Every structure is written in structure tokens, then in C-alpha cells.
Amino acid sequence: MFAYLMALAISTPVTADRDAFIDEMVNQHQFDRAEVTAVLDRAELNQEVLDAIQRPWEAKPWHQYYPIFLTEKRLAAGLKFWQQHADTLARAEAEFGVPAAVIVAIIGVETFYGEYKGKYPVLDALYTLGFHYPPRAKFFRSELQEYLLLTREEKLDLDELKGSYAGAMGYGQFISSSYRYYAIDFDGDGVRDLLSNPVDAIGSVANYFARHGWQAGQTVAVELPDSSAHADLVTTGMKPEQTIAALQEQGLQLPQGAALDATQLAKVFAFDQPDSVDYWLGLQNFYVITRYNHSPLYAMVVHQFSEQLARNYHDQESFLE
């Protein structure tokens, strides 16, 4: 019975929510009522979107998740992207304090450097999730509102843009609210173009991280040695809330030579391997990566990929010298 009711809720739009959405766009944002009504009328429910959101990659265990992203092909593409945009990446790092390797890792994980920006019409994706997916309908109706504002402000065709099943767009897969608040014009042409301009995308990713509290020059995460005590230190959530010193009092074991300020806030994370568990200590910058995608698996794969990129890029530079 519950499954039937859930299917009914997903398949039948709530008229009251639709009317409230239209009223808000008209009264708070000065949209034309007929225009907003027409937009919702032509938006289409997309079953693939509903299917995709219920099986995210981040639901996989770590040992199945990371091989999707940590590949030789993605590494080679990342090094090429870094070479092509070395000056822009260096400028972004100097201005925002976010390492070039982290920016390159994000764009590589998100869209394979613009190769896979998404196939779903953004309007349909946000409409589908905003009016036909009760678990997160409120959030996605908010993103649909942001999308209408974004396309009006940036003079974009709201019927033409494509993105992920969650409505994320462009090189860095910014959702509409992030596009509005964190996108920047990094090449000075007067347009904030994350859809087709890698320079703006680089600057915008760096700006996003800086605005969310990235600490320049600080450690992201530290792999912990084997210890039975670490399992008891894993808690829910992603925000670091205890100091390293407090965690040590509870049994945290740091690797030899780890130069960490004991007053830093940190959090222990577990990553499942086929027959074991890896434990890592995530610090502030690890938490900032989870602001981009609210998953410790995502943050860890970005961190490890950025480390791979940095090692190989600098080895390559040394060889060329």
C-alpha cells in the first residue's frame, strides 16, 4: 500500500504546490503569471530523472565508487586540461587560495572536462523533482525558482539548457542557485558562462570553494593507521565538530610524522573495502569539498584524484625542465 501511495504521489502533481509556485514567482519576482503558467505547462515529467535520483553513485560502497573516477583515462584528460589552462588555473589559485589540482579534479569528476555535461533538459528535471518527487520536492521547487531567475538574469533559453538529472549545468555542474551566487566572469568578457567557457568555470569553482571556507595551504585529509579504536570514532554527518586533541583522547591514532594542529576541528570517516575498512581523518578542507556534493565518498575521490593530478603534473613539469 505504501509503495502504491508513493507512486501515486510521484505521478500526480500537487495543484496547491504548483499554484503557490506561480504566485511566488509573480508576487516576489515580478514574473508574468501567464508566462510562468506556460513554462510549467510545457515542462515534462521525466521518468529517467526519477529513476536516476533513486540510485545515486554515492550510494555505492567506496571500493565500487572510486574505480569509476580514478582511472588512467581521466588522469590523462586532467593533465591535458591543466596544461591547456595552466595560466588560468595559476591565477585562480593565487586569487582564491584553492589549488589548481583541486579545481582540475572537480571539473574532471563532474563532467570529464566538459565531455559529459548532462543529457536532461534542466527545466524538465527540476519540474519533475519539484512536483513529482515528494522526498525532495521543496528543494527542487526552490531550484526551479532559481532556474527561472537565472535564465532571466543571464538571458539564457530555459527550454534549451541541458544538465544532470538533478538540474546541474556546465563544466562544473552548478545547480541554479550556485550558478547565481558563485559563478564569476573570470575572463572579463562581461558574461558568466559556465556552460561553454572553461575559464569562467575554473574561476567559479575556485570562488565556490573560497566562499565555503577553503583554507589555503591546509591539509584536506589524512589516512589513519590501523586501529580498532577508529571504528568507534565514526559518527553521522560531515561537519568536523571535535578537535584532534579531543579525538586523540578517545583513541585517535595519527600516522607518524603527521604535522597537524591539535586544536583543528576534524572528523573520522570510514571507507569500505571488500574485506576491510579504511579510516581517514577529514579536516576543514575535506568538509568544504562536501559542500559541492554532500558525500564523503565524493570528497575523498576528489581529494585522491587531486593528489594524483598534482604528482603527475609536477613530475611532468620537472621532466620538461
Side-chain angles (χ1 to χ4, degrees):
M1 176 61 73
F2 175 78
Y4 168 77
L5 292 174
M6 183 64 177
L8 184 64
I10 288 176
S11 64
T12 307
V14 179
T15 302
D17 289 334
R18 177 187 164 106
D19 291 344
F21 180 88
I22 295 171
D23 287 343
E24 187 169 359
M25 297 309 296
V26 172
N27 297 329
Q28 294 189 20
H29 304 293
Q30 294 73 55
F31 275 77
D32 178 76
R33 183 174 297 276
E35 178 186 355
V36 179
T37 302
V39 168
L40 296 184
D41 284 346
R42 66 177 181 269
E44 297 182 357
L45 187 153
N46 189 315
Q47 185 60 46
E48 286 187 34
V49 167
L50 293 173
D51 294 340
I53 199 169
Q54 295 176 81
R55 55 168 195 273
W57 284 349
E58 285 74 23
K60 297 177 183 291
W62 171 247
H63 63 88
Q64 293 179 8
Y65 181 79
Y66 78 82
I68 298 169
F69 302 98
L70 300 181
T71 65
E72 289 298 320
K73 182 179 178 181
R74 198 179 306 266
L75 176 60
L79 294 172
K80 181 179 179 181
F81 182 85
W82 194 338
Q83 289 174 329
Q84 290 174 331
H85 302 284
D87 291 344
T88 299
L89 286 158
R91 181 161 61 93
E93 182 169 342
E95 185 170 335
F96 296 101
V98 181
V102 172
I103 302 169
V104 176
I106 287 286
I107 296 174
V109 167
E110 291 293 341
T111 63
F112 208 93
Y113 307 102
E115 192 168 332
Y116 308 114
K117 295 178 187 174
K119 65 179 182 178
Y120 303 98
V122 175
L123 174 60
D124 292 351
L126 295 178
Y127 167 79
T128 296
L129 297 174
F131 292 100
H132 301 271
Y133 186 62
R136 298 194 66 194
K138 184 177 179 181
F139 170 77
F140 284 106
R141 282 199 299 275
S142 173
E143 283 304 311
L144 179 57
Q145 177 186 105
E146 297 283 355
Y147 182 62
L148 295 183
L149 290 166
L150 171 70
T151 52
R152 181 173 70 177
E153 292 163 355
E154 304 292 333
K155 298 179 175 57
L156 300 170
D157 188 333
L158 62 81
D159 292 304
E160 293 297 321
L161 301 189
K162 292 186 178 181
S164 74
Y165 66 79
M169 297 168 279
Y171 275 88
Q173 292 291 275
F174 275 35
I175 57 176
S176 298
S177 57
S178 294
Y179 201 132
R180 290 189 69 217
Y181 303 140
Y182 304 113
I184 62 173
D185 171 19
F186 205 48
D187 65 358
D189 67 354
V191 179
R192 302 188 305 167
D193 177 13
L194 307 188
L195 305 173
S196 59
N197 187 337
V199 175
D200 284 357
I202 288 166
S204 298
V205 169
N207 182 52
Y208 185 98
F209 273 57
R211 295 276 296 278
H212 282 81
W214 184 270
Q215 297 176 343
Q218 297 299 306
T219 302
V220 174
V222 175
E223 186 171 10
L224 299 175
D226 290 337
S227 171
S228 58
H230 291 155
D232 295 331
L233 298 179
V234 177
T235 56
T236 58
M238 283 169 280
K239 190 170 185 178
E241 295 174 334
Q242 291 185 283
T243 64
I244 292 175
L247 290 168
Q248 286 178 304
E249 290 177 0
Q250 299 168 56
L252 174 69
Q253 302 293 315
L254 294 175
Q256 280 191 333
L260 297 174
D261 180 351
T263 66
Q264 287 184 91
L265 295 177
K267 188 174 181 63
V268 176
F269 293 94
F271 298 91
D272 292 332
Q273 297 288 10
D275 301 309
S276 62
V277 179
D278 295 339
Y279 293 98
W280 285 72
L281 187 69
L283 303 166
Q284 169 64 16
N285 285 346
F286 188 85
Y287 175 69
V288 172
I289 300 174
T290 69
R291 301 306 84 202
Y292 208 96
N293 180 316
H294 295 182
S295 164
L297 275 69
Y298 177 87
M300 181 54 66
V301 88
V302 167
H303 171 58
Q304 292 194 7
F305 186 34
S306 71
E307 296 276 279
Q308 287 183 355
L309 285 161
R311 284 194 303 271
N312 284 271
Y313 186 79
H314 295 307
D315 287 348
Q316 181 177 267
E317 292 290 289
S318 298
F319 176 78
L320 292 175
E321 290 175 3

